[in-house]
Amino acid sequence: MTAELFNDITDTSTWQERLGPGSVILRRYAAASDTALLAAIEDAVATAPFRHMQTPGGFTMSAAMSNCGDYGWTADTDGYRYSATDPLNDRAWPAMPETLSELASRAAAAAGFAAFQPDVCLINRYEPGARMSLHQDRDEADLTQPIVSVSLGLPMTFLFGGLRRKERPARIELQHGDVVVWGGEDRLRYHGVAPLKDGEHPLLGRYRINLTLRRAH
DNA sequence: GAGTGGCA
DNA sequence: CGTG
């Protein structure tokens, strides 16, 4: 698929690439607020530390995860679900900082989804070699609400497939600050993360952090 | 009913 | 290394 470019001549630091009728990459959209986002993440994981969850198949996920917001996405041998409490301590997840919810709302609006108010921020941390195999985000109650994904740190190859797993995904390089929004008829597209290549990022060292903002309920 | 993993 |  050839990305259609929408360059805004008044702001050459950020631009959009359309991946489908309901999916857009906002290049470098979050780069200007990266230090505020990282401070918000550090604050959240001080309360709800990164952990490697188990899949229902009994495998350990290679990305370390945490959450903030009214709910958090969790995986264990019983399945995938959203929970109002952190299973590590049965306490509420840390509140979602406004920095994160406002970024997500603005990005969704820029992509054509008005009034997006996330109630979950899943925080995924990848080290070199970590990956996420192709999956759909379908544990949310209202699939008319989009998904907003923010990439920070090491660059990665985003796999963006179709509505069926057998469709071979596009491979899209995402850099620090890139935001991907998908919804509408693209809401259930399969997506994943290719094994992270080694490298060094000025702010994040040998890590990539992905924020996925969702409306769970 | 498998499933965001492992391995051929 | 990418695919299944």
PDB file of all heavy atoms in Angstrom, chain A residues 59 61 73 80 132-133 135, chain B residues 1-7:
ATOM      1  N   PHE A  59       2.461 -18.783  27.787  1.00  0.00           N
ATOM      2  CA  PHE A  59       3.736 -18.180  27.435  1.00  0.00           C
ATOM      3  C   PHE A  59       3.916 -16.842  28.150  1.00  0.00           C
ATOM      4  O   PHE A  59       2.931 -16.180  28.494  1.00  0.00           O
ATOM      5  CB  PHE A  59       3.830 -17.953  25.929  1.00  0.00           C
ATOM      6  CG  PHE A  59       3.722 -19.223  25.131  1.00  0.00           C
ATOM      7  CD1 PHE A  59       2.572 -19.502  24.414  1.00  0.00           C
ATOM      8  CD2 PHE A  59       4.755 -20.139  25.096  1.00  0.00           C
ATOM      9  CE1 PHE A  59       2.463 -20.676  23.682  1.00  0.00           C
ATOM     10  CE2 PHE A  59       4.651 -21.307  24.361  1.00  0.00           C
ATOM     11  CZ  PHE A  59       3.498 -21.573  23.655  1.00  0.00           C
ATOM     12  N   MET A  61       4.915 -13.050  27.937  1.00  0.00           N
ATOM     13  CA  MET A  61       5.001 -12.017  26.895  1.00  0.00           C
ATOM     14  C   MET A  61       6.356 -11.318  26.994  1.00  0.00           C
ATOM     15  O   MET A  61       6.854 -11.050  28.080  1.00  0.00           O
ATOM     16  CB  MET A  61       3.850 -11.024  27.047  1.00  0.00           C
ATOM     17  CG  MET A  61       2.494 -11.704  26.851  1.00  0.00           C
ATOM     18  SD  MET A  61       1.103 -10.602  27.019  1.00  0.00           S
ATOM     19  CE  MET A  61       1.279  -9.641  25.529  1.00  0.00           C
ATOM     20  N   TRP A  73      -5.504  -3.145  30.917  1.00  0.00           N
ATOM     21  CA  TRP A  73      -5.573  -4.390  30.148  1.00  0.00           C
ATOM     22  C   TRP A  73      -4.651  -5.406  30.802  1.00  0.00           C
ATOM     23  O   TRP A  73      -3.493  -5.082  31.121  1.00  0.00           O
ATOM     24  CB  TRP A  73      -5.149  -4.133  28.703  1.00  0.00           C
ATOM     25  CG  TRP A  73      -5.323  -5.324  27.801  1.00  0.00           C
ATOM     26  CD1 TRP A  73      -6.435  -5.654  27.087  1.00  0.00           C
ATOM     27  CD2 TRP A  73      -4.343  -6.337  27.512  1.00  0.00           C
ATOM     28  NE1 TRP A  73      -6.215  -6.815  26.379  1.00  0.00           N
ATOM     29  CE2 TRP A  73      -4.953  -7.249  26.614  1.00  0.00           C
ATOM     30  CE3 TRP A  73      -3.030  -6.566  27.922  1.00  0.00           C
ATOM     31  CZ2 TRP A  73      -4.271  -8.372  26.122  1.00  0.00           C
ATOM     32  CZ3 TRP A  73      -2.357  -7.691  27.431  1.00  0.00           C
ATOM     33  CH2 TRP A  73      -2.975  -8.575  26.538  1.00  0.00           C
ATOM     34  N   TYR A  80      -7.741 -12.670  28.422  1.00  0.00           N
ATOM     35  CA  TYR A  80      -7.464 -11.245  28.326  1.00  0.00           C
ATOM     36  C   TYR A  80      -8.681 -10.483  28.820  1.00  0.00           C
ATOM     37  O   TYR A  80      -9.815 -10.840  28.507  1.00  0.00           O
ATOM     38  CB  TYR A  80      -7.208 -10.845  26.871  1.00  0.00           C
ATOM     39  CG  TYR A  80      -6.133 -11.634  26.176  1.00  0.00           C
ATOM     40  CD1 TYR A  80      -6.405 -12.334  25.011  1.00  0.00           C
ATOM     41  CD2 TYR A  80      -4.848 -11.658  26.674  1.00  0.00           C
ATOM     42  CE1 TYR A  80      -5.422 -13.039  24.349  1.00  0.00           C
ATOM     43  CE2 TYR A  80      -3.854 -12.365  26.021  1.00  0.00           C
ATOM     44  CZ  TYR A  80      -4.145 -13.057  24.859  1.00  0.00           C
ATOM     45  OH  TYR A  80      -3.165 -13.757  24.217  1.00  0.00           O
ATOM     46  N   MET A 132       5.548  -8.382  19.424  1.00  0.00           N
ATOM     47  CA  MET A 132       4.134  -8.637  19.731  1.00  0.00           C
ATOM     48  C   MET A 132       3.547  -9.245  18.489  1.00  0.00           C
ATOM     49  O   MET A 132       3.531  -8.614  17.423  1.00  0.00           O
ATOM     50  CB  MET A 132       3.434  -7.328  20.075  1.00  0.00           C
ATOM     51  CG  MET A 132       2.006  -7.490  20.532  1.00  0.00           C
ATOM     52  SD  MET A 132       1.867  -8.032  22.226  1.00  0.00           S
ATOM     53  CE  MET A 132       2.347  -6.520  23.067  1.00  0.00           C
ATOM     54  N   SER A 133       3.106 -10.466  18.576  1.00  0.00           N
ATOM     55  CA  SER A 133       2.610 -11.092  17.356  1.00  0.00           C
ATOM     56  C   SER A 133       1.236 -10.532  16.976  1.00  0.00           C
ATOM     57  O   SER A 133       0.603  -9.818  17.741  1.00  0.00           O
ATOM     58  CB  SER A 133       2.608 -12.610  17.488  1.00  0.00           C
ATOM     59  OG  SER A 133       1.888 -13.011  18.603  1.00  0.00           O
ATOM     60  N   HIS A 135      -2.344  -9.483  16.332  1.00  0.00           N
ATOM     61  CA  HIS A 135      -3.557  -9.637  17.132  1.00  0.00           C
ATOM     62  C   HIS A 135      -4.534  -8.524  16.795  1.00  0.00           C
ATOM     63  O   HIS A 135      -4.180  -7.552  16.134  1.00  0.00           O
ATOM     64  CB  HIS A 135      -3.196  -9.585  18.621  1.00  0.00           C
ATOM     65  CG  HIS A 135      -2.662  -8.255  19.049  1.00  0.00           C
ATOM     66  ND1 HIS A 135      -1.357  -7.863  18.840  1.00  0.00           N
ATOM     67  CD2 HIS A 135      -3.268  -7.200  19.637  1.00  0.00           C
ATOM     68  CE1 HIS A 135      -1.182  -6.635  19.285  1.00  0.00           C
ATOM     69  NE2 HIS A 135      -2.328  -6.199  19.784  1.00  0.00           N
TER      70      HIS A 135
ATOM     71  P    DG B   1     -15.631 -25.007  22.616  1.00  0.00           P
ATOM     72  OP1  DG B   1     -15.524 -26.453  22.498  1.00  0.00           O
ATOM     73  OP2  DG B   1     -16.002 -24.313  23.836  1.00  0.00           O
ATOM     74  O5'  DG B   1     -14.273 -24.341  22.081  1.00  0.00           O
ATOM     75  C5'  DG B   1     -13.752 -24.747  20.824  1.00  0.00           C
ATOM     76  C4'  DG B   1     -12.551 -23.896  20.536  1.00  0.00           C
ATOM     77  O4'  DG B   1     -12.973 -22.524  20.329  1.00  0.00           O
ATOM     78  C3'  DG B   1     -11.526 -23.827  21.671  1.00  0.00           C
ATOM     79  O3'  DG B   1     -10.236 -23.871  21.095  1.00  0.00           O
ATOM     80  C2'  DG B   1     -11.759 -22.484  22.321  1.00  0.00           C
ATOM     81  C1'  DG B   1     -12.167 -21.649  21.120  1.00  0.00           C
ATOM     82  N9   DG B   1     -12.976 -20.478  21.461  1.00  0.00           N
ATOM     83  C8   DG B   1     -13.866 -20.345  22.484  1.00  0.00           C
ATOM     84  N7   DG B   1     -14.438 -19.172  22.522  1.00  0.00           N
ATOM     85  C5   DG B   1     -13.882 -18.496  21.447  1.00  0.00           C
ATOM     86  C6   DG B   1     -14.109 -17.181  20.982  1.00  0.00           C
ATOM     87  O6   DG B   1     -14.879 -16.334  21.438  1.00  0.00           O
ATOM     88  N1   DG B   1     -13.328 -16.884  19.873  1.00  0.00           N
ATOM     89  C2   DG B   1     -12.462 -17.755  19.276  1.00  0.00           C
ATOM     90  N2   DG B   1     -11.802 -17.314  18.228  1.00  0.00           N
ATOM     91  N3   DG B   1     -12.243 -18.998  19.713  1.00  0.00           N
ATOM     92  C4   DG B   1     -12.980 -19.292  20.788  1.00  0.00           C
ATOM     93  P    DA B   2      -8.994 -24.276  22.018  1.00  0.00           P
ATOM     94  OP1  DA B   2      -8.561 -25.626  21.630  1.00  0.00           O
ATOM     95  OP2  DA B   2      -9.283 -23.950  23.424  1.00  0.00           O
ATOM     96  O5'  DA B   2      -7.892 -23.219  21.492  1.00  0.00           O
ATOM     97  C5'  DA B   2      -7.464 -23.299  20.153  1.00  0.00           C
ATOM     98  C4'  DA B   2      -7.086 -21.920  19.661  1.00  0.00           C
ATOM     99  O4'  DA B   2      -8.151 -21.003  19.975  1.00  0.00           O
ATOM    100  C3'  DA B   2      -5.811 -21.355  20.282  1.00  0.00           C
ATOM    101  O3'  DA B   2      -5.078 -20.745  19.244  1.00  0.00           O
ATOM    102  C2'  DA B   2      -6.326 -20.334  21.301  1.00  0.00           C
ATOM    103  C1'  DA B   2      -7.617 -19.876  20.652  1.00  0.00           C
ATOM    104  N9   DA B   2      -8.646 -19.443  21.607  1.00  0.00           N
ATOM    105  C8   DA B   2      -9.105 -20.107  22.709  1.00  0.00           C
ATOM    106  N7   DA B   2     -10.053 -19.467  23.360  1.00  0.00           N
ATOM    107  C5   DA B   2     -10.211 -18.303  22.622  1.00  0.00           C
ATOM    108  C6   DA B   2     -11.054 -17.186  22.784  1.00  0.00           C
ATOM    109  N6   DA B   2     -11.934 -17.068  23.780  1.00  0.00           N
ATOM    110  N1   DA B   2     -10.955 -16.202  21.881  1.00  0.00           N
ATOM    111  C2   DA B   2     -10.073 -16.321  20.885  1.00  0.00           C
ATOM    112  N3   DA B   2      -9.223 -17.316  20.626  1.00  0.00           N
ATOM    113  C4   DA B   2      -9.351 -18.277  21.543  1.00  0.00           C
ATOM    114  P    DG B   3      -3.554 -20.365  19.523  1.00  0.00           P
ATOM    115  OP1  DG B   3      -2.911 -20.324  18.204  1.00  0.00           O
ATOM    116  OP2  DG B   3      -2.979 -21.194  20.618  1.00  0.00           O
ATOM    117  O5'  DG B   3      -3.672 -18.899  20.086  1.00  0.00           O
ATOM    118  C5'  DG B   3      -4.287 -17.895  19.287  1.00  0.00           C
ATOM    119  C4'  DG B   3      -4.584 -16.720  20.177  1.00  0.00           C
ATOM    120  O4'  DG B   3      -5.725 -16.994  20.988  1.00  0.00           O
ATOM    121  C3'  DG B   3      -3.478 -16.411  21.179  1.00  0.00           C
ATOM    122  O3'  DG B   3      -2.679 -15.384  20.638  1.00  0.00           O
ATOM    123  C2'  DG B   3      -4.191 -15.886  22.392  1.00  0.00           C
ATOM    124  C1'  DG B   3      -5.630 -16.180  22.130  1.00  0.00           C
ATOM    125  N9   DG B   3      -6.235 -16.929  23.201  1.00  0.00           N
ATOM    126  C8   DG B   3      -5.860 -18.147  23.680  1.00  0.00           C
ATOM    127  N7   DG B   3      -6.605 -18.565  24.660  1.00  0.00           N
ATOM    128  C5   DG B   3      -7.527 -17.553  24.835  1.00  0.00           C
ATOM    129  C6   DG B   3      -8.580 -17.427  25.743  1.00  0.00           C
ATOM    130  O6   DG B   3      -8.920 -18.224  26.612  1.00  0.00           O
ATOM    131  N1   DG B   3      -9.260 -16.236  25.575  1.00  0.00           N
ATOM    132  C2   DG B   3      -8.954 -15.276  24.643  1.00  0.00           C
ATOM    133  N2   DG B   3      -9.698 -14.189  24.626  1.00  0.00           N
ATOM    134  N3   DG B   3      -7.974 -15.377  23.777  1.00  0.00           N
ATOM    135  C4   DG B   3      -7.303 -16.533  23.932  1.00  0.00           C
ATOM    136  P    DT B   4      -1.273 -15.554  20.512  1.00  0.00           P
ATOM    137  OP1  DT B   4      -0.962 -15.231  19.163  1.00  0.00           O
ATOM    138  OP2  DT B   4      -0.791 -16.792  21.114  1.00  0.00           O
ATOM    139  O5'  DT B   4      -0.724 -14.463  21.465  1.00  0.00           O
ATOM    140  C5'  DT B   4       0.424 -13.882  21.140  1.00  0.00           C
ATOM    141  C4'  DT B   4       0.317 -12.405  21.254  1.00  0.00           C
ATOM    142  O4'  DT B   4      -0.956 -11.867  21.403  1.00  0.00           O
ATOM    143  C3'  DT B   4       1.119 -11.851  22.423  1.00  0.00           C
ATOM    144  O3'  DT B   4       2.409 -11.632  21.927  1.00  0.00           O
ATOM    145  C2'  DT B   4       0.417 -10.566  22.752  1.00  0.00           C
ATOM    146  C1'  DT B   4      -0.742 -10.525  21.747  1.00  0.00           C
ATOM    147  N1   DT B   4      -1.941  -9.867  22.254  1.00  0.00           N
ATOM    148  C2   DT B   4      -1.930  -8.493  22.386  1.00  0.00           C
ATOM    149  O2   DT B   4      -0.953  -7.814  22.129  1.00  0.00           O
ATOM    150  N3   DT B   4      -3.116  -7.956  22.821  1.00  0.00           N
ATOM    151  C4   DT B   4      -4.273  -8.637  23.133  1.00  0.00           C
ATOM    152  O4   DT B   4      -5.282  -8.057  23.509  1.00  0.00           O
ATOM    153  C5   DT B   4      -4.201 -10.054  22.977  1.00  0.00           C
ATOM    154  C7   DT B   4      -5.395 -10.884  23.271  1.00  0.00           C
ATOM    155  C6   DT B   4      -3.056 -10.595  22.553  1.00  0.00           C
ATOM    156  P    DG B   5       3.611 -12.267  22.931  1.00  0.00           P
ATOM    157  OP1  DG B   5       3.248 -12.004  24.325  1.00  0.00           O
ATOM    158  OP2  DG B   5       4.842 -11.737  22.370  1.00  0.00           O
ATOM    159  O5'  DG B   5       3.607 -13.854  22.713  1.00  0.00           O
ATOM    160  C5'  DG B   5       3.472 -14.716  23.829  1.00  0.00           C
ATOM    161  C4'  DG B   5       4.244 -16.005  23.605  1.00  0.00           C
ATOM    162  O4'  DG B   5       3.607 -16.765  22.561  1.00  0.00           O
ATOM    163  C3'  DG B   5       5.703 -15.841  23.177  1.00  0.00           C
ATOM    164  O3'  DG B   5       6.418 -16.902  23.799  1.00  0.00           O
ATOM    165  C2'  DG B   5       5.651 -15.975  21.668  1.00  0.00           C
ATOM    166  C1'  DG B   5       4.517 -16.976  21.492  1.00  0.00           C
ATOM    167  N9   DG B   5       3.723 -16.829  20.293  1.00  0.00           N
ATOM    168  C8   DG B   5       3.478 -15.690  19.558  1.00  0.00           C
ATOM    169  N7   DG B   5       2.686 -15.896  18.544  1.00  0.00           N
ATOM    170  C5   DG B   5       2.407 -17.254  18.608  1.00  0.00           C
ATOM    171  C6   DG B   5       1.614 -18.067  17.776  1.00  0.00           C
ATOM    172  O6   DG B   5       0.973 -17.729  16.777  1.00  0.00           O
ATOM    173  N1   DG B   5       1.602 -19.389  18.197  1.00  0.00           N
ATOM    174  C2   DG B   5       2.271 -19.866  19.292  1.00  0.00           C
ATOM    175  N2   DG B   5       2.144 -21.152  19.559  1.00  0.00           N
ATOM    176  N3   DG B   5       3.016 -19.120  20.095  1.00  0.00           N
ATOM    177  C4   DG B   5       3.040 -17.832  19.682  1.00  0.00           C
ATOM    178  P    DG B   6       7.976 -17.021  23.781  1.00  0.00           P
ATOM    179  OP1  DG B   6       8.409 -17.312  25.148  1.00  0.00           O
ATOM    180  OP2  DG B   6       8.518 -15.858  23.052  1.00  0.00           O
ATOM    181  O5'  DG B   6       8.230 -18.317  22.908  1.00  0.00           O
ATOM    182  C5'  DG B   6       7.673 -19.557  23.349  1.00  0.00           C
ATOM    183  C4'  DG B   6       7.798 -20.554  22.222  1.00  0.00           C
ATOM    184  O4'  DG B   6       6.911 -20.178  21.157  1.00  0.00           O
ATOM    185  C3'  DG B   6       9.207 -20.597  21.627  1.00  0.00           C
ATOM    186  O3'  DG B   6       9.632 -21.940  21.666  1.00  0.00           O
ATOM    187  C2'  DG B   6       9.035 -20.066  20.212  1.00  0.00           C
ATOM    188  C1'  DG B   6       7.582 -20.374  19.926  1.00  0.00           C
ATOM    189  N9   DG B   6       6.927 -19.504  18.957  1.00  0.00           N
ATOM    190  C8   DG B   6       7.022 -18.138  18.856  1.00  0.00           C
ATOM    191  N7   DG B   6       6.296 -17.631  17.889  1.00  0.00           N
ATOM    192  C5   DG B   6       5.693 -18.740  17.316  1.00  0.00           C
ATOM    193  C6   DG B   6       4.791 -18.824  16.215  1.00  0.00           C
ATOM    194  O6   DG B   6       4.347 -17.907  15.515  1.00  0.00           O
ATOM    195  N1   DG B   6       4.418 -20.146  15.962  1.00  0.00           N
ATOM    196  C2   DG B   6       4.850 -21.227  16.666  1.00  0.00           C
ATOM    197  N2   DG B   6       4.383 -22.416  16.287  1.00  0.00           N
ATOM    198  N3   DG B   6       5.687 -21.167  17.700  1.00  0.00           N
ATOM    199  C4   DG B   6       6.064 -19.899  17.963  1.00  0.00           C
ATOM    200  P    DC B   7      11.161 -22.311  21.439  1.00  0.00           P
ATOM    201  OP1  DC B   7      11.478 -23.240  22.527  1.00  0.00           O
ATOM    202  OP2  DC B   7      11.955 -21.090  21.203  1.00  0.00           O
ATOM    203  O5'  DC B   7      11.106 -23.116  20.078  1.00  0.00           O
ATOM    204  C5'  DC B   7       9.974 -23.951  19.794  1.00  0.00           C
ATOM    205  C4'  DC B   7       9.805 -24.047  18.306  1.00  0.00           C
ATOM    206  O4'  DC B   7       9.097 -22.886  17.808  1.00  0.00           O
ATOM    207  C3'  DC B   7      11.141 -24.097  17.533  1.00  0.00           C
ATOM    208  O3'  DC B   7      11.069 -25.144  16.615  1.00  0.00           O
ATOM    209  C2'  DC B   7      11.158 -22.743  16.825  1.00  0.00           C
ATOM    210  C1'  DC B   7       9.673 -22.574  16.562  1.00  0.00           C
ATOM    211  N1   DC B   7       9.305 -21.192  16.181  1.00  0.00           N
ATOM    212  C2   DC B   7       8.367 -21.005  15.166  1.00  0.00           C
ATOM    213  O2   DC B   7       7.863 -22.000  14.632  1.00  0.00           O
ATOM    214  N3   DC B   7       8.052 -19.749  14.798  1.00  0.00           N
ATOM    215  C4   DC B   7       8.622 -18.706  15.407  1.00  0.00           C
ATOM    216  N4   DC B   7       8.285 -17.485  15.014  1.00  0.00           N
ATOM    217  C5   DC B   7       9.587 -18.875  16.440  1.00  0.00           C
ATOM    218  C6   DC B   7       9.905 -20.120  16.797  1.00  0.00           C
TER     219       DC B   7
END
